[in-house]
Amino acid sequence: MDHDKFVQLLESVLAPDTSRVKAATATLKKDYYPSPESLALLIQLLTSHESPQLRQLAATQARSLVPKHWPVVPSNHKPQIRTHLLQATLGEKNSLARHAQARVISAVAKIDIEDGEWTELPALMQQAATSQTPQEREVGTYILFTILESMGGGVSQNFGKLFELFSQTIHDPASAEVRINTMLALGKIGMVLDADDDEESLEAFQKALPDMVSILKQAIEAGDEDRTTQAFEIFQTLLECDSRLLSVHFRDLVQFMMQLASEKSLDKEARIQALNFLINCVLYRKTKFQGLRIGEQLTVNLMDILAESGDDTDDDDGFSLAILVLSLLSMMAQNLPPSQTMVPLIRTFKTFATSSNYRQRSAGITALGTAAEGAGEFLDTQLPDLIPLILQLLMDPEAKVRGATANGTKLLGDVLPETLGKEHEKFISALVRCLNQAVKDLDGPDSKANLKIVPACVGAIDSLVEGLASKDIEPYLPGLVPHLSHLFSHEDPKIKQAAIGAVGSIAENAKDAFLPYFERSMNALSEFVHIKDNDDELDTRCMTMDAMGSMASAVGAEPFQRYVRPLMDATEEGIQLDNNRLKESCYLLWGTLAKVYGPDFKPFLPGVVQALFKCLEEEDDGINVELGEEAADLVGKEVMIGGQKVRVVGNSDTDGIADMDDLDDMDDDGDSDWDDLAGFSSIVEEQEVAVEVVADLLAYTKGEFLPYLARSIELILPMVENGYEGSRRSAISTLYRAYVVLWQLQDEQHQEWQPGLPLRVQPTDDVMKLGDAVMKSTLEIWSEELEGGVLIEINRSVAEVLRLCGPAIISGPKVLEQVAEIQLSILKKQHTCQIEDAEASDDEGMPEEISEDDWYIVDSALDTITTLAAALGDQYSVLWKQFEKPVMQYASSSEAGQRSAAVGTIADSIRGMKQAVTPSTPSLLKLLLHRMSDEDALTKSNAAFAIGLLIEFSNNEKDIKRAYNTVFTKLEPLLHTPESRQLDNAAGCVSRMILKHQDIVPVDEVLPALVALLPLKEDYEENEPIFRMIVHLYSSGEPTMLRLTPRLLPVLAQVMGPPESQLTEGSREALSQLVKYVYHNQAAMLQGYPSLLQIASS
């Protein structure tokens, strides 16, 4: 091999000439690197060449060739090469070259040590790490780090000696590099340390942690950005390792990071990294973090940072202080209980909202809006008190505050449209004034701020109308629609798009009241249907498609008819433009039109289905990445990271030259190979939408879609196990919706299901086959699903099917047992997605208070077991023995929402079990009587409903009769309280009590008061027991009931009229017979009630 030519080629690689680099690279790969001699030449160069850049390059290339060529190097040559390599590295003055050479040593050591050779290396490096020469200590510690990096657990037998060594080197008095190298090495040990089998090493690591924090402090104080970043990355990595590594010092570490993030004098980058660490604490150590109970303090600190950072949110790089603060607040609101985030946030907002500092006013409303999504239910209870402050901020003299408030109002409206909608007159008036002012001042000194206010105000109006009924929106149409339509021609695309979206939302919620504006709006939007010259135009086109779909929903089939064909043609063109967002808008428009036209959408189904199938058939190729040696075991495999399918390919360095663009990054000393693997490709998002649209087509076109159903199921079933959460969620929803539609398409004989297993009414074979396939796919992920949103969707979908279609879906072998076991695990907070770290002991305890997101998971299980009760009937009593304890624990929770939901579950469980509830009567009676005096209105209401059902169905006469007086006492105040349906449920309970034991009820006292409460205004379900009781008393000739006939007739006239939902078919028929009975005996009483006379004469 020509030595001089080889060196010339390497020098060409370093030349600033792309053509020379490419030519040299090709020659090296083809003519030199396949030969083992190339490794020897590279080692010679990295140890002796005068150029540090070439020594570094030679080292990077040698490292990549070691796995291929070192095993074939003659054994008698290896000792000399190792010695030469070590001596050169220990003497290397250039840090980049030195680190690259150290990695060659670790690459060789990985092979040798596994083969029983070079066993003295770790001891030599430990000796170097304690040398009197700082450079040798730097090399020794760095090589130990690279050995740990490449071999990890393969040297675990030496951990004891290494900890002893590192306890000295981490305090090196002369070299910061030795200290950071030690920290890097400790980080690698932490990644592979088996805490179960090596408690001594665990204890040693925990003891070293304060020193690691000191290294970070020193790097920050020295202004050493590189070492600061390295130290932060180590702590970030440790958060993903065994939680016991940090558990002893976790509180101190979190508080230290809080201090760093809040310290204004620190470099911005250090504060950003501290915030990133805190974000990952909430993400990876949620339960532990909650147990520290420092959320309140952190929230207040974050609000101060947000106010300090001010306009930092304008940064587009995604790494500003403000953006990270908002991300952390949002995550805390989502993952922590309200007391740790929302309570202090709202308290601080009230202070900030009246501050003389405009930055605080802006920060307060921005934080409130950002956190809303994560704690909507709690915020809903607080928002009425905050609305005056928000309205005040919308009229703030500072433009930036008005813009922030408009954005905050939009975010609040997205989460709580109905609550904001109660004050729609004030909000819309304020937003229109704010909008007009911003448009007027677009050319003024605050033009930049005002340019942002316009789309913010329009967006806030958009979200606000979502909470309004058609009658409430109608008065605003003459002012809003023309005003917003005028903005369709604005030159700023964000303003234009916001206006289009707002008009679409107004139309959808105004319904037919939008008709007078329909034609003009469609004509104004028509110019955007085919635009495609740039991304802004495509985004505007997408918004236009969405708005036109909303208008179709608003005005209905006939007015929209002449626009259907042109729009369908436009979507056919749109899906060919290779823009995923536009494709999604086209798909959604198809779903909307199918909803509007139902089976009449049939002519478009072939083309639409073909396009959707093409999307679903498309393979998500993910990302091909080359990784270093640490990922060698994954080569050729696919991994899922952040929902993205990533294919790991062999590192090209093993066959040739490293990418020269990466040379400057060779000293990063971390896991940067993995840094860019988060995210997911756009195709999976597009497929998520496509699947949902398939469900819409099936639901709305009914039987017309059946020719495409089999292929749809075939394509969607595999998506249940897709790595992307959204795909799994949409696939589950669609499959169960398909089951419901197929069930409903059966003839009436098959649709009438009866509770219990084995099935008493057998569905069609098609329904059974689909149910078996869907449930099989569900069970494969149900117990191991890690994402709460997917788990909730599974529970919601199964509950809906049980509610509508009965027990057929759970009739397969062992299915019911598995479903019950999964629900029980959720109720006990032991499901996979609820367990943060099964190995970690939580010495802070498991607080009862949980975040809203965590509660939604439990709540979905409560909903599922109530539908199991309906589907199984009295057989559910066997399962209730398992569910009773956790459900009753939630019914005794300190959280009102948990109590009310659990008591509601008890009520529905009693209704399903009927007489089979008898054995549980004593325990349920005790709990429900207690809850009837609950401080929470909804809990009291649900308790009244539940105890009424218990009285109706339980055969434990002794306990039931004994409780009558107590029940009446507790019902009396509820009968005068309409809040949360207390009056309705109490009236239903009294009726059931009379039906069950009329002999111990003072009917002559109770009936007049009960009739005076009728008709019910909210909970029509309770009309059934009330009128069943009334009919029963009439049939038995009860005197008080007969005397109350004149007072009852106006009630009957109301409930027999609209809305029909007031009565079940059975109740309506029974009351019809009662009306005829009254007419037959006292016809004159019906005079003045024409509707009743019509019934009597029918």
Side-chain angles (χ1 to χ4, degrees):
M1 184 174 288
D2 189 331
H3 177 276
D4 292 338
K5 176 66 173 176
F6 185 67
V7 173
Q8 290 174 7
L9 288 169
L10 289 175
E11 290 173 338
S12 295
V13 170
L14 294 174
D17 185 333
T18 303
S19 60
R20 285 182 64 190
V21 171
K22 289 183 177 180
T25 299
T27 302
L28 286 167
K29 285 185 174 182
K30 179 182 178 182
D31 298 336
Y32 289 86
Y33 287 159
S35 170
E37 189 180 349
S38 64
L39 177 60
L41 287 175
L42 287 168
I43 292 176
Q44 180 182 343
L45 290 171
L46 72 88
T47 59
S48 61
H49 199 277
E50 61 184 14
S51 167
Q53 289 79 21
L54 196 137
R55 292 199 301 275
Q56 181 191 358
L57 173 60
T60 60
Q61 302 313 295
R63 180 194 178 196
S64 66
L65 292 175
V66 163
K68 182 176 182 180
H69 294 322
W70 182 254
V72 299
V73 172
S75 298
N76 59 334
H77 292 176
K78 287 183 177 180
Q80 183 180 356
I81 295 175
R82 294 174 188 136
T83 301
H84 193 39
L85 190 56
L86 270 177
Q87 290 175 345
T89 305
L90 288 168
E92 176 63 64
K93 302 297 183 183
N94 182 276
S95 62
L96 293 178
R98 185 166 66 242
H99 286 183
Q101 293 163 8
R103 291 184 181 278
V104 177
I105 292 173
S106 66
V108 171
K110 182 177 182 182
I111 297 173
D112 283 356
I113 293 176
E114 289 176 355
D115 291 340
E117 301 179 20
W118 212 7
T119 54
E120 69 276 14
L121 178 64
L124 289 173
M125 292 304 98
Q126 291 185 54
Q127 182 178 345
T130 56
S131 166
Q132 295 299 312
T133 305
Q135 182 173 318
E136 290 189 3
R137 296 199 301 274
E138 291 166 4
V139 173
T141 51
Y142 192 81
I143 291 177
L144 286 172
F145 155 64
T146 59
I147 291 174
L148 286 165
E149 182 181 46
S150 62
M151 300 188 65
V155 293
S156 59
Q157 70 276 8
N158 295 317
F159 280 175
K161 293 180 180 179
L162 288 173
F163 276 118
E164 183 179 349
L165 170 68
F166 292 154
S167 67
Q168 302 173 39
T169 58
I170 202 166
H171 297 290
D172 192 291
S175 173
E177 185 171 344
V178 172
R179 297 194 295 271
I180 196 68
N181 289 348
T182 302
M183 188 171 177
L184 289 167
L186 286 168
K188 292 303 175 184
I189 290 179
M191 292 176 66
V192 298
L193 194 153
D194 188 336
D196 290 323
D197 294 339
D198 193 352
E199 293 186 9
E200 186 175 340
S201 292
L202 172 62
E203 184 178 345
F205 189 94
Q206 292 170 337
K207 186 176 180 181
L209 199 68
D211 292 330
M212 296 171 71
V213 173
S214 295
I215 301 302
L216 173 57
K217 287 181 181 178
Q218 293 165 14
I220 294 173
E221 290 169 357
D224 190 330
E225 291 186 10
D226 290 340
R227 292 194 174 104
T228 297
T229 298
Q230 287 177 318
F232 269 117
E233 287 177 350
I234 291 165
F235 284 118
Q236 294 276 22
T237 300
L238 291 175
L239 281 174
E240 302 178 47
C241 300
D242 191 303
S243 64
R244 287 168 287 189
L245 295 174
L246 300 179
S247 61
V248 174
H249 302 287
F250 188 66
R251 176 184 291 276
D252 294 336
L253 187 58
V254 170
Q255 290 180 328
F256 171 62
M257 295 295 180
M258 287 169 54
Q259 292 168 5
L260 291 181
S262 302
E263 182 52 61
K264 297 179 183 180
S265 63
L266 284 185
D267 177 70
K268 176 181 172 182
E269 183 61 30
R271 300 176 70 189
I272 284 175
Q273 296 202 61
L275 286 170
N276 271 321
F277 178 85
L278 292 169
I279 286 173
N280 283 328
C281 281
V282 178
L283 182 64
Y284 294 112
R285 294 285 182 268
K286 179 177 69 176
T287 303
K288 186 76 173 178
F289 192 90
Q290 178 182 338
L292 297 178
R293 293 176 174 83
I294 58 175
E296 180 175 359
Q297 177 189 347
L298 178 56
T299 300
V300 173
N301 289 356
L302 292 174
M303 296 284 280
D304 287 336
I305 298 171
L306 188 60
E308 166 215 335
S309 56
D311 302 331
D312 199 24
T313 50
D314 292 341
D315 290 0
D316 294 326
D317 60 7
F319 295 102
S320 72
L321 275 175
I323 290 173
L324 286 175
V325 165
L326 292 172
S327 296
L328 180 51
L329 282 172
S330 176
M331 191 171 293
M332 289 170 64
Q334 184 176 351
N335 289 282
L336 300 180
S339 65
Q340 293 201 30
T341 303
M342 293 309 298
V343 170
L345 189 152
I346 290 171
R347 184 171 62 244
T348 307
F349 165 74
K350 291 178 179 179
T351 302
F352 278 16
T354 56
S355 169
S356 60
N357 183 339
Y358 87 89
R359 292 179 184 273
Q360 289 190 333
R361 300 197 300 275
S362 179
I365 185 61
T366 301
L368 185 68
T370 301
E373 185 177 5
E377 286 192 9
F378 176 79
L379 185 56
D380 194 28
T381 66
Q382 308 296 310
L383 197 55
D385 293 338
L386 306 180
I387 284 176
L389 290 172
I390 299 171
L391 290 168
Q392 175 183 316
L393 292 171
L394 276 173
M395 296 180 285
D396 196 278
E398 175 63 47
K400 291 176 180 177
V401 176
R402 296 197 301 275
T405 307
N407 272 320
T409 302
K410 179 190 183 305
L411 294 171
L412 290 168
D414 288 341
V415 178
L416 301 168
E418 294 181 1
T419 304
L420 280 190
K422 293 176 182 177
E423 301 287 345
H424 58 85
E425 293 181 3
K426 296 177 182 178
F427 268 107
I428 290 182
S429 174
L431 286 166
V432 169
R433 284 201 304 272
C434 186
L435 173 62
N436 291 338
Q437 183 68 41
V439 172
K440 178 183 175 183
D441 295 341
L442 280 177
D443 296 327
D446 285 331
S447 58
K448 184 178 179 181
N450 284 304
L451 193 62
K452 294 180 179 180
I453 290 176
V454 176
C457 287
V458 174
I461 293 170
D462 185 340
S463 67
L464 192 67
V465 298
E466 293 289 342
L468 302 185
S470 175
K471 64 180 178 61
D472 294 324
I473 297 176
E474 190 170 359
Y476 300 111
L477 296 179
L480 277 182
V481 176
H483 193 34
L484 293 173
S485 298
H486 179 70
L487 297 176
F488 290 175
S489 59
H490 199 281
E491 61 182 11
D492 187 288
K494 292 182 179 179
I495 292 176
K496 179 186 302 184
Q497 292 157 19
I500 293 171
V503 171
S505 294
I506 290 171
E508 187 167 21
N509 291 278
K511 297 183 171 52
D512 56 5
F514 187 75
L515 268 171
Y517 310 91
F518 169 59
E519 294 285 350
R520 278 177 291 173
S521 298
M522 288 295 292
N523 291 337
L525 292 174
S526 61
E527 64 176 293
F528 307 128
V529 171
H530 291 282
I531 57 176
K532 56 185 177 184
D533 289 346
N534 52 55
D535 288 343
D536 285 336
E537 287 196 354
L538 288 171
D539 288 343
T540 302
R541 179 170 175 171
C542 292
M543 195 63 73
T544 300
M545 291 289 184
D546 296 344
M548 288 183 168
S550 297
M551 292 178 191
S553 296
V555 302
E558 186 175 344
F560 201 81
Q561 182 63 51
R562 72 186 185 91
Y563 297 101
V564 174
R565 173 57 68 180
L567 270 180
M568 291 301 294
D569 291 343
T571 61
E572 185 177 348
E573 178 211 18
I575 61 174
Q576 306 301 322
L577 294 179
D578 197 28
N579 180 283
N580 294 95
R581 172 69 178 89
L582 180 58
K583 288 181 183 179
E584 291 170 20
S585 290
C586 293
Y587 301 161
L588 291 169
L589 180 63
W590 295 341
T592 299
L593 293 177
K595 181 179 181 180
V596 172
Y597 291 96
D600 292 338
F601 192 69
K602 178 182 177 181
F604 299 105
L605 280 179
V608 164
V609 171
Q610 181 182 8
L612 292 171
F613 283 179
K614 180 181 178 182
C615 171
L616 296 179
E617 289 166 352
E618 189 170 347
E619 288 288 337
D620 175 23
D621 293 330
I623 302 172
N624 289 348
V625 293
E626 291 185 358
L627 301 177
E629 295 175 15
E630 60 269 26
D633 294 341
L634 297 177
V635 170
K637 301 178 182 179
E638 291 180 344
V639 295
M640 293 304 305
I641 302 176
Q644 170 65 62
K645 183 193 296 179
V646 177
R647 180 176 294 106
V648 181
V649 298
N651 193 328
S652 62
D653 295 353
T654 58
D655 296 318
I657 196 162
D659 189 344
M660 292 304 105
D661 292 337
D662 294 336
L663 270 181
D664 292 338
D665 300 325
M666 287 298 180
D667 194 37
D668 58 13
D669 300 331
D671 297 318
S672 61
D673 286 331
W674 296 97
D675 287 348
D676 299 323
L677 300 186
F680 45 84
S681 68
S682 55
I683 183 59
V684 295
E685 290 183 307
E686 183 186 326
Q687 289 174 336
E688 176 187 3
V689 175
V691 169
E692 293 170 351
V693 173
V694 167
D696 289 338
L697 295 175
L698 175 58
Y700 300 126
T701 64
K702 304 292 185 184
E704 303 298 343
F705 193 83
L706 287 180
Y708 313 102
L709 181 59
R711 179 58 179 160
S712 299
I713 300 302
E714 182 182 343
L715 289 170
I716 296 171
L717 273 173
M719 294 179 67
V720 172
E721 298 187 71
N722 190 285
Y724 171 49
E725 174 191 357
S727 293
R728 299 198 302 279
R729 193 169 54 241
S730 62
I732 288 290
S733 173
T734 296
L735 290 169
Y736 281 94
R737 286 179 70 186
Y739 181 90
V740 171
V741 172
L742 198 59
W743 177 281
Q744 293 171 341
L745 289 174
Q746 299 178 112
D747 57 54
E748 292 185 5
Q749 180 182 355
H750 284 97
Q751 288 187 35
E752 292 297 325
W753 61 270
Q754 296 181 24
L757 293 173
L759 296 176
R760 300 172 187 176
V761 177
Q762 193 71 21
T764 62
D765 288 345
D766 287 341
V767 170
M768 291 300 293
K769 289 177 182 177
L770 177 58
D772 290 344
V774 171
M775 183 52 71
K776 179 182 178 182
S777 293
T778 303
L779 289 172
E780 287 176 354
I781 68 166
W782 204 347
S783 62
E784 299 298 326
E785 177 58 53
L786 293 172
E787 296 293 339
V790 178
L791 184 60
I792 290 170
E793 183 59 48
I794 295 173
N795 282 349
R796 188 204 64 79
S797 297
V798 171
E800 187 68 8
V801 165
L802 290 170
R803 188 177 291 114
L804 297 174
C805 310
I809 194 75
I810 55 171
S811 61
K814 303 293 184 182
V815 171
L816 176 59
E817 291 88 339
Q818 293 180 71
V819 172
E821 182 180 341
I822 292 167
Q823 301 312 310
L824 185 61
S825 72
I826 296 173
L827 294 176
K828 291 182 175 181
K829 300 178 188 174
Q830 294 175 354
H831 187 277
T832 303
C833 83
Q834 296 169 298
I835 300 174
E836 181 179 293
D837 190 338
E839 296 178 328
S841 61
D842 189 0
D843 54 7
E844 298 285 348
M846 179 67 177
E848 179 186 0
E849 190 184 14
I850 60 177
S851 69
E852 286 189 9
D853 273 14
D854 290 338
W855 170 247
Y856 292 150
I857 296 172
V858 175
D859 194 41
S860 72
L862 292 175
D863 188 39
T864 303
I865 68 172
T866 62
T867 56
L868 282 173
L872 295 173
D874 58 6
Q875 296 172 357
Y876 175 76
S877 60
V878 177
L879 296 181
W880 178 247
K881 293 176 183 177
Q882 304 174 42
F883 298 144
E884 183 175 12
K885 182 177 178 180
V887 171
M888 293 183 72
Q889 286 176 340
Y890 287 114
S892 301
S893 166
S894 61
E895 295 293 313
Q898 296 182 24
R899 295 197 304 275
S900 63
V903 172
T905 298
I906 290 171
D908 287 329
S909 296
I910 295 170
R911 180 161 50 181
M913 288 186 284
K914 294 183 169 58
Q915 285 76 17
V917 75
T918 300
S920 299
T921 300
S923 58
L924 291 177
L925 193 59
K926 179 180 178 182
L927 180 137
L928 294 173
L929 285 171
H930 184 57
R931 294 277 75 94
M932 286 180 73
S933 300
D934 199 281
E935 62 184 19
D936 176 62
L938 183 56
T939 302
K940 282 190 289 191
S941 180
N942 287 347
F945 177 53
I947 208 161
L949 290 169
L950 184 63
I951 289 170
E952 178 179 359
F953 292 119
S954 175
N955 291 327
N956 185 338
E957 303 288 342
K958 180 181 177 182
D959 287 341
I960 292 294
K961 285 185 176 182
R962 185 187 302 151
Y964 257 49
N965 287 338
T966 305
V967 173
F968 269 122
T969 300
K970 290 178 177 287
L971 283 175
E972 200 278 332
L974 275 64
L975 289 167
H976 305 288
T977 310
E979 181 187 1
S980 300
R981 307 189 305 277
Q982 291 180 70
L983 184 154
D984 298 14
N985 283 329
C989 182
V990 170
S991 300
R992 290 183 169 96
M993 294 174 75
I994 294 173
L995 282 166
K996 189 64 177 283
H997 292 296
Q998 180 182 339
D999 55 316
I1000 59 174
V1001 176
V1003 175
D1004 57 337
E1005 298 177 16
V1006 172
L1007 270 183
L1010 184 60
V1011 171
L1013 299 174
L1014 303 178
L1016 301 183
K1017 300 295 192 298
E1018 293 185 76
D1019 193 350
Y1020 294 150
E1021 187 177 343
E1022 289 304 272
N1023 274 331
E1024 191 280 329
I1026 290 172
F1027 289 112
R1028 176 157 50 92
M1029 177 270 298
I1030 288 173
V1031 169
H1032 169 73
L1033 294 182
Y1034 266 105
S1035 65
S1036 64
E1038 207 287 319
T1040 304
M1041 189 73 259
L1042 296 175
R1043 288 197 302 270
L1044 289 170
T1045 300
R1047 292 171 56 184
L1048 184 64
L1049 290 177
V1051 174
L1052 294 178
Q1054 289 189 54
V1055 299
M1056 296 292 281
E1060 291 190 2
S1061 59
Q1062 292 181 91
L1063 297 172
T1064 64
E1065 288 185 17
S1067 295
R1068 188 173 297 277
E1069 176 60 29
L1071 290 185
S1072 296
Q1073 295 302 317
L1074 177 59
V1075 170
K1076 292 178 180 179
Y1077 168 81
V1078 173
Y1079 180 75
H1080 178 74
N1081 290 282
Q1082 303 179 63
M1085 282 192 178
L1086 268 62
Q1087 298 304 316
Y1089 301 104
S1091 61
L1092 297 183
L1093 283 171
Q1094 184 178 358
I1095 293 171
S1097 60
S1098 63

